[in-house]
Amino acid sequence: MDTENKYGEPMTVLQQVQQRGGHLLPQWQAEHIDGYTLFPQSEPDVAGQMLQGLEYLASADYLDKLFFDRLSVCPSCGSHHVNVREACSSCKSSHISPVSLLHHFRCGYVAPAETFVHNGKGRICPKCHGHLTDLGTDHDIPGENFTCHSCHASFQVPEVEGLCMNCQTRTPGDQLLHKDIHSFRLNSLGMAALSNGRLYDQEEELLLEGDGHPIYRKHVFMFLLEDEMRRAKRYGTAFSLIMIKLATADDTETERLVFHMAENLRNSDKIGRYTEDRLLLLLPATDKAGADIWLRRFIAGAGAALQAHVIDLNQEGDVASQLAEQSWNT
Ligand SMILES: [Zn+2]
Ligand SMILES: [Zn+2]
Ligand SMILES: [Zn+2]
């Protein structure tokens, strides 16, 4: 860590998180480049140093980094001041309005409702001059169209467009960038470091979670996993990864489950922490079919409700983002 970074000193930052209730939540700040800030009272360079401290503490598992919000960002200047709105598909003007349509069954004519003039008894079809009297029997409302007041185009689906209020760049909705904003929450390792008055420096303290659980801490497990992926790529060996969602936040139940798991694993298999309620299981030299069989047997013998599945890893891709996707899906 940068020695000049005095505000980002890990123990100072941990104390800050504790003083703010143990969970540092982003606060909306429109003029800030990110739209959110974690340190509204601090100067930008101080806040930047403290953010570095937070990222370091999260990477070393003293804090949990949690998804908070997703911003739409201008790809040209990075500003979050993007006005996202619906626009005409031909001329891109945002001066558009929805128009409801009518469909006359007898002649099949479909047009905006306002073109079917009312004569006191009912609407008149502009094409066949027949009467529209009973909705559902002689006509229906097939939906909405949009009309553009600038070019008079008529279309079913408007385009979504982002207009940057900072640099005026116009970007189609599907090409806007997204930036995830996170909160940071003290976890058990962070609390332990606070009461110890220091971060852990012993390797064995750092590798496994406390209380005799044979669970590797997240950063250690990710390192082991990446190592396994490298090996698989180089030598073509198989390995499998299982994600397990713990049903309860009950520590005793988790402990029972983890010991049951450990009993059913080989020495080379590894249990790792992914989030507070999710564990990962690394099974070297095991293909998907083998992992499925193991998992079915394990769930049957676990005596507790739990969700688990074998992860389909793309070994060419980035493992962290693939795991993040998996955890949304379950
Ligand atoms: Zn238009
Ligand atoms: Zn008609
Ligand atoms: Zn911009």
Side-chain angles (χ1 to χ4, degrees), residues 73-79 81-82 163-169 171:
V73 175
C74 169
S76 162
C77 74
S79 170
H81 292 278
V82 180
L163 171 63
C164 177
M165 307 308 272
N166 184 46
C167 75
Q168 308 294 307
T169 300
T171 309

Side-chain angles (χ1 to χ4, degrees), residues 23-281:
H23 193 176
L24 206 56
L25 292 164
Q27 296 185 21
W28 180 244
Q29 202 175 53
E31 69 277 13
H32 192 274
I33 176 86
D34 288 335
Y36 281 107
T37 177
L38 287 157
F39 305 101
Q41 320 296 355
S42 307
E43 293 297 316
D45 56 331
V46 174
Q49 289 187 20
M50 291 196 283
L51 184 61
Q52 276 184 35
L54 288 174
E55 294 287 357
Y56 168 77
L57 288 164
S59 71
D61 290 344
Y62 291 96
L63 294 174
D64 293 332
K65 182 177 174 181
L66 307 167
F67 177 85
F68 185 76
D69 199 3
R70 180 162 296 167
L71 292 172
S72 299
V73 175
C74 169
S76 162
C77 74
S79 170
H80 68 90
H81 292 278
V82 180
N83 177 18
V84 177
R85 69 269 206 281
E86 293 181 325
C88 169
S89 50
S90 333
C91 77
K92 314 296 176 208
S93 163
S94 54
H95 195 192
I96 61 172
S97 338
V99 194
S100 38
L101 300 176
L102 287 184
H103 171 209
H104 189 207
F105 293 156
R106 198 174 78 187
C107 71
Y109 191 58
V110 178
E114 63 193 28
T115 62
F116 291 74
V117 183
H118 233 282
N119 76 346
K121 287 193 242 162
R123 292 179 184 271
I124 308 287
C125 172
K127 188 183 174 205
C128 73
H129 306 291
H131 266 97
L132 280 63
T133 49
D134 192 18
L135 180 66
T137 308
D138 57 17
H139 72 285
D140 70 354
I141 302 171
E144 272 189 342
N145 238 17
F146 286 81
T147 187
C148 172
H149 302 289
S150 298
C151 74
H152 304 290
S154 171
F155 44 93
Q156 277 188 316
V157 184
E159 283 187 6
V160 174
E161 186 194 62
L163 171 63
C164 177
M165 307 308 272
N166 184 46
C167 75
Q168 308 294 307
T169 300
R170 308 174 84 121
T171 309
D174 58 356
Q175 287 170 30
L176 285 169
L177 300 181
H178 296 286
K179 180 167 187 172
D180 287 352
I181 303 293
H182 296 93
S183 70
F184 290 86
R185 188 177 61 193
L186 262 182
N187 58 24
S188 52
L189 187 65
M191 305 271 213
L194 278 166
S195 59
N196 265 6
R198 64 170 179 86
L199 300 186
Y200 291 92
D201 48 12
Q202 301 295 319
E203 261 182 44
E204 60 273 26
E205 280 183 308
L206 277 170
L207 286 176
L208 293 170
E209 293 189 350
D211 312 326
H213 290 192
I215 304 177
Y216 283 98
R217 295 192 186 284
K218 185 175 178 183
H219 71 282
V220 181
F221 187 83
M222 293 305 282
F223 175 81
L224 295 170
L225 175 58
E226 275 162 20
D227 196 47
E228 191 61 44
M229 280 178 84
R230 267 194 296 277
R231 215 191 328 272
K233 220 161 144 181
R234 182 180 301 173
Y235 304 111
T237 52
F239 75 91
S240 289
L241 188 65
I242 293 174
M243 185 176 276
I244 297 172
K245 186 169 187 242
L246 302 166
T248 70
D250 177 357
D251 270 352
T252 342
E253 179 57 24
T254 304
E255 198 166 325
R256 195 188 64 76
L257 201 66
V258 168
F259 278 114
H260 173 59
M261 206 181 297
E263 276 170 16
N264 285 279
L265 291 172
R266 304 161 299 179
N267 280 339
S268 57
D269 301 330
K270 294 175 182 74
I271 308 170
R273 175 67 65 181
Y274 184 59
T275 61
E276 206 169 8
D277 66 346
R278 283 191 173 80
L279 299 176
L280 287 169
L281 211 55

